[in-house]
Amino acid sequence: GESVGLHLPTLSVQEGDNSIINCAYSNSASDYFIWYKQESGKGPQFIIDIRSNMDKRQGQRVTVLLNKTVKHLSLQIAATQPGDSAVYFCAENLGGADGLTFGKGTHLIIQP
Amino acid sequence: GAVVSQHPSRVICKSGTSVKIECRSLDFQATTMFWYRQFPKQSLMLMATSNEGSKATYEQGVEKDKFLINHASLTLSTLTVTSAHPEDSSFYICSASRQGNTEAFFGQGTRLTVV
């Protein structure tokens, strides 16, 4: 079936730098996209979401960009901190009361 | 945000036994809950959709007789892994959404180890 994928399994950035995590999705019918952060041994933590009628959404230190033309989703984290170290997953669904399809995950490593 | 609680957080069981995992929405009612499985260094995979008062909907490849789901109330869904085997060892995570809302809130997960 169709699924959401990621470009890089590991991303290493210097503390204080900005990081960009990418995600490619294949289901053009997807209407709702979410980024989650997962720390070791814990459940996913909601970061930010975006609907298909938008191309950008900003939160605190995070921005999600959606490019429907190329089916690409990205998460930008500004001024990364040690606490940002985690695995980040994108997820998508059709916008209704459906379960989520998760991407493979990117392990973000913050170097001092 | 809404709180979803899972219990137990960790469980070790012997092969052939059954294990029940609970998922509770603590401060909201959830007509639908979802169960995911996550193997080490892999992503979450949706196993089934738990519907209050009706049968669960299982994803392709997930054995409904092995992973029994009961959603008896608007705040509780249970997943029972029956006749567990070592290959069932995994991280099981539930999520719940408020009625009419697409945002999913996740539990803290249950680490199952079958020995």
Side-chain angles (χ1 to χ4, degrees):
Chain A
E2 295 179 302
S3 64
V4 183
L6 287 171
H7 296 311
L8 295 173
T10 302
L11 176 65
S12 183
V13 299
Q14 292 290 126
E15 182 179 350
D17 286 353
N18 299 333
S19 64
I20 300 175
I21 301 171
N22 295 304
C23 177
Y25 67 94
S26 57
N27 189 346
S28 57
S30 293
D31 180 61
Y32 180 56
F33 304 88
I34 318 101
W35 281 101
Y36 288 96
K37 173 185 180 183
Q38 187 180 29
E39 297 175 324
S40 181
K42 298 183 180 180
Q45 177 186 354
F46 174 91
I47 301 173
I48 192 167
D49 60 1
I50 190 168
R51 293 204 173 273
S52 61
N53 61 351
M54 302 172 70
D55 53 23
K56 180 179 180 179
R57 191 160 187 232
Q58 287 185 292
Q60 189 176 14
R61 280 202 308 121
V62 294
T63 301
V64 55
L65 298 177
L66 175 62
N67 185 330
K68 294 181 288 294
T69 302
V70 295
K71 298 177 190 170
H72 184 267
L73 190 70
S74 68
L75 175 70
Q76 299 178 2
I77 304 174
T80 53
Q81 303 168 358
D84 294 331
S85 291
V87 178
Y88 290 81
F89 293 98
C90 63
E92 50 99 12
N93 75 4
L94 299 178
D98 298 320
L100 296 168
T101 299
F102 280 81
K104 291 184 174 62
T106 294
H107 185 192
L108 179 63
I109 299 171
I110 309 300
Q111 295 185 339
Chain B
V3 179
V4 174
S5 177
Q6 271 183 252
H7 177 81
S9 58
R10 289 177 178 271
V11 59
I12 300 173
C13 72
K14 293 183 177 179
S15 288
T17 62
S18 296
V19 173
K20 180 185 285 188
I21 303 170
E22 294 185 347
C23 178
R24 293 180 185 274
S25 55
L26 298 186
D27 52 359
F28 67 100
Q29 293 184 330
T31 54
T32 304
M33 292 184 175
F34 301 94
W35 287 97
Y36 297 83
R37 180 168 53 186
Q38 185 178 31
F39 292 109
K41 298 191 185 302
Q42 293 189 25
S43 189
L44 286 77
M45 294 295 293
L46 179 66
M47 297 175 67
T49 302
S50 173
N51 304 298
E52 187 269 334
S54 65
K55 291 182 178 181
T57 305
Y58 290 81
E59 295 299 302
Q60 191 173 7
V62 179
E63 301 174 60
K64 65 179 192 293
D65 294 329
K66 181 168 183 62
F67 299 100
L68 300 179
I69 292 172
N70 184 277
H71 194 152
S73 78
L74 286 171
T75 59
L76 174 64
S77 174
T78 60
L79 169 68
T80 301
V81 183
T82 63
S83 186
H85 289 100
E87 56 265 32
D88 298 324
S89 298
S90 188
F91 195 49
Y92 292 88
I93 310 170
C94 71
S95 75
S97 301
R98 288 191 179 97
Q99 194 169 8
N101 193 310
T102 52
E103 183 175 350
F105 301 95
F106 283 83
Q108 67 270 43
T110 298
R111 174 73 62 192
L112 170 64
T113 303
V114 184
V115 297

